[in-house]
Amino acid sequence: MPPEIARLTEWAGAPAPPRGVRPPGAARWVNIADPGDPVAVPPGLAAAFDGLDLDLTDTVHPLFGFHHAKNYLGCAGTAATLAPFLTGA
């Protein structure tokens, strides 16, 4: 759970929300978050979910091309994550 949410729940006297888990059937789970993308899963997903293999922050596109597959596939975090699984890598 992100620290700011944990502090809020403590302050309000509410129990902490349950942690999420890796989606069923997912052999590997990687989050690559662009901090400039206003609708992406935020960086630090591992603070709220169990089972993430990698929780990366990377600039996918400096302006507004975050959701284009070519930009995610071209960012360094995606390349480094996929490289071990590609033939000849």
Side-chain angles (χ1 to χ4, degrees):
M1 169 183 341
E4 51 278 353
I5 300 299
R7 283 193 298 275
L8 273 175
T9 57
E10 283 176 17
W11 175 80
R19 291 179 58 83
V21 296
R22 180 192 304 244
R28 186 166 166 81
W29 187 11
V30 177
N31 179 44
I32 301 174
D34 184 327
D37 185 344
V39 297
V41 173
L45 191 63
F49 284 84
D50 292 326
L52 262 81
D53 293 298
L54 291 171
D55 195 6
L56 307 173
T57 301
D58 198 353
T59 300
V60 173
H61 195 269
L63 297 173
F64 297 103
F66 331 105
H67 301 289
H68 297 267
K70 67 177 184 160
N71 294 334
Y72 261 98
L73 292 173
C75 83
T78 303
T81 299
L82 293 177
F85 303 98
L86 300 175
T87 303

